[in-house]
């Protein structure tokens, strides 16, 4: 008797994650959810931070070159925006070729749709050229994604750096950073808007602008969240994006991944200390794999 995971598939879904830790894990969780619902799964991935296909035996994997030099690939965390911007340029043609080959695959398993990370900015044009339905997966929560809506107006008012900014003195003093300047983000102030350090701030702006504008041409958006948590933000997303919104998270509550796609060696030193604490007495906060903080910041948060 075939198992639940081995039941016959009839349609295929293609998924293309951004090759960064916080982006790959949600995509793999989503892939497993879709597989359990009867879809065949093909994961398109870059050679950079490539996935181990043996960890996911029920999926098909297709690798593409991302065009990063050896130096770029080993120092990507020094300027993550520059790395992602470079991959957005260099992956476009290899991805197009890969998609063309996959669409010529088994006619008994036609491609139902393409699901990609929202950070890939060339997907919409490529999908449209092949007439393939495309769904965007922003891997952040709904509320923080609305930052993309506010960022252009904040930047145009001079509150954030550009390559032409003469110095940090050009940024207004904090008392000027009032919430009225960014009505989309209430109750947050401009000073609360996240910004990632990069050699070229305009790359960051371009990335954010595409994350906001490109999904408007998609067939829909999938969120790793749930309506009860972010109801107001979800209503706003319906308004600003104008495409169907599928809120089916948290993904990890459906299945546990059989293996981790972690790019960083896990630090298990705190486990012994945690085991000695009372149940529900410790609050865990994650800033993501690039969110390293120093002791001073840590103590301030505590």
């Amino acid at each position: 008797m075939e198992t639940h995971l081995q039941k016959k598939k009839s349609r295929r879904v293609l998924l293309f994650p951004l090759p960064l830790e916080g982006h790959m894990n949600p995509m793999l969780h989503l892939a497993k959810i879709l597989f359990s619902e009867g879809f065949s799964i093909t994961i398109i991935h870059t050679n950079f931070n490539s996935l181990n296909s043996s960890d996911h035996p029920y999926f098909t994997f297709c690798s593409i070159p991302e065009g990063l030099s050896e130096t770029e690939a080993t120092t990507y965390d020094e300027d993550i925006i520059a790395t992602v911007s470079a991959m957005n340029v260099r992956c476009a043609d290899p991805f197009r070729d890969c998609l063309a080959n996959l669409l010529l695959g088994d006619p008994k398993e036609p491609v139902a749709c393409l699901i990609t990370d929202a950070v890939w900015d060339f997907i919409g044009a490529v999908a449209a050229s092949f007439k393939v339905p495309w769904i965007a997966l922003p891997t952040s929560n709904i509320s923080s994604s609305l930052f993309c809506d506010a960022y252009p107006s904040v930047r145009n008012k001079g509150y954030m750096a550009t390559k032409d900014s003469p110095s940090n003195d050009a940024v207004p003093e904090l008392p000027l950073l009032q919430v009225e300047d960014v009505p989309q983000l209430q109750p947050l102030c401009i000073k609360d808007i996240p910004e990632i350090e990069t050699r070229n701030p305009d790359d960051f702006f371009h990335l954010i602008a595409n994350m906001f504008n490109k999904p408007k041409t998609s067939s829909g958006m999938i969120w790793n969240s749930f309506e009860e948590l972010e109801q107001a933000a979800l209503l706003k997303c319906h308004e600003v994006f104008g495409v169907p919104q599928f809120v089916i998270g948290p993904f990890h509550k459906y299945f546990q991944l059989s293996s981790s796609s972690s790019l960083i060696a896990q630090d298990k030193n705190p486990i012994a200390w945690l085991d000695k604490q009372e149940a529900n007495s410790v609050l865990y906060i994650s800033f993501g794999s690039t969110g390293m903080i120093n002791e001073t910041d840590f103590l301030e948060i505590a």
Side-chain angles (χ1 to χ4, degrees), residues 219-234:
S219 299
M221 302 174 73
I222 294 176
W223 297 98
N224 186 13
S225 185
F226 53 100
E227 187 171 352
E228 292 81 358
L229 180 66
E230 302 189 88
Q231 189 171 41
L234 179 60

Side-chain angles (χ1 to χ4, degrees), residues 130-287:
F130 288 105
K131 296 182 172 57
V132 177
W134 163 56
I135 298 177
L137 171 65
T139 52
S140 59
N141 60 45
I142 303 175
S143 300
S144 65
S145 293
L146 289 176
F147 147 68
C148 298
D149 182 28
Y151 186 86
S153 63
V154 172
R155 181 178 181 269
N156 292 337
K157 291 179 181 179
Y159 287 111
M160 288 187 168
T162 68
K163 66 179 181 180
D164 299 320
S165 299
S167 69
N168 289 336
D169 296 335
V171 180
E173 296 295 325
L174 289 185
L176 296 178
L177 307 185
Q178 300 300 317
V179 69
E180 289 78 13
D181 292 319
V182 201
Q184 305 99 312
L185 293 178
Q186 291 181 357
L188 300 181
C189 301
I190 291 176
K191 64 183 178 63
D192 299 316
I193 295 178
E195 188 173 14
I196 301 176
E197 291 186 5
T198 177
R199 293 186 296 272
N200 186 355
D202 286 350
D203 285 347
F204 183 56
F205 171 71
H206 179 76
L207 200 65
I208 291 299
N210 280 328
M211 286 174 60
F212 178 68
N213 290 314
K214 297 297 183 179
K216 294 178 181 179
T217 67
S218 71
S219 299
M221 302 174 73
I222 294 176
W223 297 98
N224 186 13
S225 185
F226 53 100
E227 187 171 352
E228 292 81 358
L229 180 66
E230 302 189 88
Q231 189 171 41
L234 179 60
L235 290 173
K236 181 66 175 177
C237 276
H238 279 290
E239 176 186 336
V240 300
F241 290 108
V243 298
Q245 307 291 310
F246 304 101
V247 187
I248 61 174
F251 296 164
H252 70 279
K253 288 294 187 179
Y254 289 81
F255 300 101
Q256 295 295 324
L257 289 179
S258 58
S259 61
S260 171
S261 61
S262 177
L263 304 175
I264 301 173
Q266 295 183 356
D267 179 6
K268 297 185 178 181
N269 291 326
I271 300 300
W273 177 84
L274 284 169
D275 287 341
K276 298 176 182 177
Q277 309 309 308
E278 295 182 8
N280 300 319
S281 65
V282 177
L283 177 65
Y284 172 72
I285 303 174
S286 172
F287 293 94

Side-chain angles (χ1 to χ4, degrees), residues 11-57:
R11 305 200 70 186
R12 181 168 295 277
V13 174
L14 312 179
L15 298 99
F16 184 32
L18 191 74
L20 300 177
E21 184 171 358
H23 296 254
M24 291 190 294
N25 277 328
M27 188 71 78
L28 289 170
H29 275 118
L30 177 61
K32 197 165 185 179
I33 293 169
L34 293 171
F35 185 85
S36 72
E37 292 297 324
F39 291 97
S40 295
I41 299 296
T42 294
I43 306 289
I44 305 171
H45 64 94
T46 61
N47 294 331
F48 167 69
N49 285 345
S50 62
L51 293 164
N52 186 349
S53 60
S54 64
D55 290 337
H56 310 281

Side-chain angles (χ1 to χ4, degrees), residues 75-94:
T75 61
Y76 72 93
D77 55 346
E78 295 179 5
D79 191 336
I80 198 69
I81 298 301
T83 302
V84 172
S85 297
M87 287 193 294
N88 258 316
V89 173
R90 302 171 195 173
C91 283
D93 288 340

